[in-house]
Amino acid sequence: MPMTVTLSIDTETLHLGDLRKAWLQPAVIAMNDAALERIGKSQQCVRQALGKEQAIYGINTGFGLLASVQVPDDELRTLQENLVLSHSAGTGALLDDRIVRLVLILKILSLGQGYSGVSPELIDNLCALLANEVYPCIPSRGSVGASGDLAPLAHMSSVLLGAGKARHRGEIISAEKALQVAGIEPLALRPKEGLALLNGTQVSTAMALHALFRAEDVFAAACISGALSLDAAQASDTPFDARISRVRNHQGQMDVARLYRDLTAGSAIRASHIDCQRVQDPYCLRCQPQVMGSCLETMRHVAGVFFREACAVTDNPMVFADDDAILSGGNFHAEPIALTCDYLATAIAEIGALSERRIALLIDPNMSGLPPFLVEHSGLNSGFMVPQVTAVALASENKHLASPASIDSMPTSANQEDHVSMAPVAALRLQQMLENCAGIVAIEMLAACQGIEFHRPMKSSATLEASIAKIRSISPPYTTDRMLSEDIGMVRDSVLAGDFLEPAGAILPSAT
């Protein structure tokens, strides 16, 4: 059984690394007296507002364009339940359990801050789902990231009512059984609670965090594959000199240059050509600190935005109990996530593009000095000819996928919600981009190992030799033509599993 991560409901003590741990393994959230007090005050504020018999959006009115329709007191519970059921209209493949676990965590953190007017019982029930690894089945498509992630959060919430389905340790079960596993009864929603559940950016943010954490794994592996290519091509390590990066003064570049120095330290291959006559290497080798450093800084920037949004209150209206005020605003608009996901997309595309260029260099004997296509008896054997074509196809697809999603607003809800963020679209497409990028990096790993083995008996650094051993435990050396598709897939999966996270992990956003 995997270990369980315990998180506090107080966001002040939370760190991005805590969310990465909860992404990887089951989690629980611990309530405390301070949280219960502020949740109770917020709920009492809603009760008092209802007693004043005034129209309050989403509490005793319809939703969206129907906000002017006031609902009688005896139908307020039905109003909230109808909202959840009618909005459960998503489609597409189900979200990964890791994403759904984050959705539950982020929704609990948001509601627990006491600005949403919900009951402690509602939050307790969400905590029970989380603690018992009951993850509602949430379709991946159906949200435009404004007025909250309405459809996906409705699917999350429907399980609390006893509707829909959930997944428990890999098995899809009915909501009725899911509640039994969680040890709770179907919830009767109070005024405001359905709206508080559905309003919010938690699905967009959870998908964005999922992409960020996977991007960290791919970035770390790409640094290793890039370092392997340096030795395979017998490239110079002068471009990684600290003095070069220091005078440009970009922290990401300096950190990546140091990482490459550490990765290649002690390489006998490097020592063997330290006095060679080569003046400069191609950019895909020489400019790795500049390109990968920029990608690292991009990841650090988006990580900050994602984390702030993870700790934010994003439903509507918001309840300020200390001021006896219920205010309608627009915190549900996920524009911060949409724009930063688009930014992250460019970094992912660049990581893959640079890796593909190194593969192209390695298979070209005029550039690398290695046998054509990295195989003996080329001509009879085609070697890495078509794996490089595959890398080109993946890199090209990523260029198209990197097109901004955030600029593609379309109005919804009869033009009441006339500008939307498309954050879920921006975040969801990152998953395919990361699969593609990991595939490119996997091909480079195989090609670079092949190149280094042509320099035997010389060894690379101890760190890189350990990586070579890991790769070769999956895919043996390429001595004559054979099918390579499964090998590429297995190395790609290893990259995405975080098997090459170290030693780059220390400079990644979730570690700092």
Side-chain angles (χ1 to χ4, degrees):
M1 293 289 291
M3 293 181 61
T4 298
V5 178
T6 299
L7 304 175
S8 170
I9 199 165
D10 293 320
T11 56
E12 292 84 357
T13 61
L14 191 69
H15 300 282
L16 182 62
D18 299 325
L19 293 179
R20 182 178 170 102
K21 291 174 184 176
W23 171 68
L24 288 169
Q25 54 205 52
V28 297
I29 291 184
M31 291 282 280
N32 57 45
D33 291 341
L36 289 171
E37 180 180 355
R38 59 181 180 256
I39 293 164
K41 287 173 62 177
S42 177
Q43 187 187 24
Q44 181 61 27
C45 185
V46 172
R47 289 199 195 100
Q48 292 172 350
L50 283 170
K52 298 176 183 177
E53 298 185 355
Q54 63 189 50
I56 310 170
Y57 174 72
I59 297 178
N60 58 4
T61 72
F63 307 100
L65 194 66
L66 304 176
S68 61
V69 179
Q70 191 159 348
V71 178
D73 289 351
D74 60 354
E75 292 182 340
L76 294 184
R77 184 164 291 177
T78 302
L79 172 70
Q80 299 299 317
E81 292 177 355
N82 284 351
L83 177 69
V84 172
L85 297 176
S86 67
H87 284 48
S88 298
T91 188
L94 299 178
L95 292 179
D96 187 294
D97 281 355
R98 292 171 295 178
I99 297 175
V100 179
R101 183 162 55 240
L102 286 175
V103 171
L104 288 170
I105 290 169
L106 301 190
K107 179 56 76 174
I108 293 166
L109 293 176
S110 178
L111 298 179
Q113 294 183 54
Y115 297 101
S116 302
V118 302
S119 65
E121 181 187 2
L122 185 150
I123 300 176
D124 285 342
N125 283 16
L126 287 171
C127 288
L129 295 182
L130 179 67
N132 290 281
E133 300 175 52
V134 175
Y135 304 125
C137 291
I138 301 178
S140 56
R141 288 170 169 81
S143 175
V144 295
S147 275
D149 292 314
L150 296 173
L153 285 172
H155 284 279
M156 178 203 76
S157 306
S158 66
V159 173
L160 294 174
L161 307 184
K165 295 181 178 179
R167 198 153 41 199
H168 177 61
R169 296 178 181 173
E171 179 187 359
I172 294 179
I173 56 178
S174 68
E176 181 182 8
K177 185 175 180 181
L179 294 178
Q180 292 173 0
V181 172
I184 55 179
E185 298 291 328
L187 187 66
L189 294 176
R190 296 171 175 84
K192 173 76 166 62
E193 290 190 333
L195 187 60
L197 285 166
L198 270 57
N199 263 176
T201 64
Q202 286 79 33
V203 173
S204 294
T205 307
M207 288 195 293
L209 287 168
H210 178 68
L212 172 66
F213 298 148
R214 297 181 93 199
E216 289 184 321
D217 293 336
V218 174
F219 176 91
C223 289
I224 289 174
S225 67
L228 288 169
S229 290
L230 288 174
D231 262 0
Q234 292 188 309
S236 171
D237 59 4
T238 299
F240 307 96
D241 190 296
R243 291 168 292 184
I244 294 173
S245 293
R246 186 171 62 246
V247 297
R248 199 176 194 188
N249 197 31
H250 287 292
Q251 190 61 51
Q253 178 178 329
M254 291 188 283
D255 290 343
V256 169
R258 184 178 67 251
L259 173 63
Y260 276 77
R261 293 195 300 273
D262 293 343
L263 287 171
T264 56
S267 169
I269 297 174
R270 169 58 190 145
S272 72
H273 64 94
I274 200 163
D275 295 320
C276 70
Q277 299 303 307
R278 184 182 297 177
V279 178
Q280 290 187 330
D281 295 309
Y283 291 178
C284 65
L285 296 174
R286 186 177 10 140
C287 297
Q288 289 186 77
Q290 290 76 16
V291 177
M292 295 297 282
S294 298
C295 292
L296 177 59
E297 290 200 359
T298 298
M299 290 166 58
R300 287 172 174 171
H301 170 72
V302 304
V305 176
F306 293 170
F307 182 66
R308 286 192 294 276
E309 192 75 357
C311 298
V313 181
T314 56
D315 65 299
N316 183 64
M318 299 176 67
V319 181
F320 296 90
D322 290 343
D323 304 322
D324 192 26
I326 299 177
L327 307 179
S328 285
N331 278 7
F332 49 68
H333 200 295
E335 193 77 3
I337 297 299
L339 290 173
T340 43
C341 281
D342 284 344
Y343 191 20
L344 181 57
T346 62
I348 295 168
E350 283 293 86
I351 292 168
L354 196 67
S355 177
E356 183 281 320
R357 287 292 78 205
R358 292 191 295 265
I359 300 167
L361 180 147
L362 292 176
I363 66 172
D364 184 346
N366 296 315
M367 298 294 289
S368 67
L370 295 166
F373 302 106
L374 301 173
V375 68
E376 296 283 8
H377 310 297
S378 53
L380 174 64
N381 293 309
S382 295
F384 277 75
M385 181 187 296
V386 175
Q388 187 262 338
V389 174
T390 298
V392 168
L394 295 172
S396 179
E397 182 180 351
N398 272 3
K399 291 175 186 178
H400 289 282
L401 289 171
S403 178
S406 56
I407 62 173
D408 191 29
S409 174
M410 296 179 67
T412 63
S413 193
N415 284 307
Q416 174 73 6
E417 297 154 9
D418 58 349
H419 182 278
V420 300
S421 72
M422 294 299 178
V425 178
L428 189 61
R429 63 78 142 82
L430 296 178
Q431 313 312 325
Q432 185 60 58
M433 291 189 70
L434 287 160
E435 295 275 346
N436 292 346
C437 191
I440 299 168
V441 171
I443 294 169
E444 184 187 6
M445 284 183 160
L446 293 170
C449 285
Q450 192 77 3
I452 285 174
E453 285 159 355
F454 281 115
H455 298 307
R456 296 297 191 217
M458 289 188 295
K459 296 278 189 178
S460 185
S461 69
T463 300
L464 292 180
E465 286 292 342
S467 295
I468 292 170
K470 192 178 296 182
I471 295 163
R472 285 299 180 227
S473 71
I474 299 170
S475 174
Y478 194 99
T479 56
T480 187
D481 279 349
R482 59 183 172 86
M483 296 179 68
L484 206 56
S485 177
E486 288 189 7
D487 300 58
I488 294 169
M490 288 188 291
V491 176
R492 178 201 62 213
D493 292 347
S494 187
V495 168
L496 290 170
D499 292 341
F500 298 94
L501 186 63
E502 300 304 331
I507 66 172
L508 296 175
S510 64
T512 57

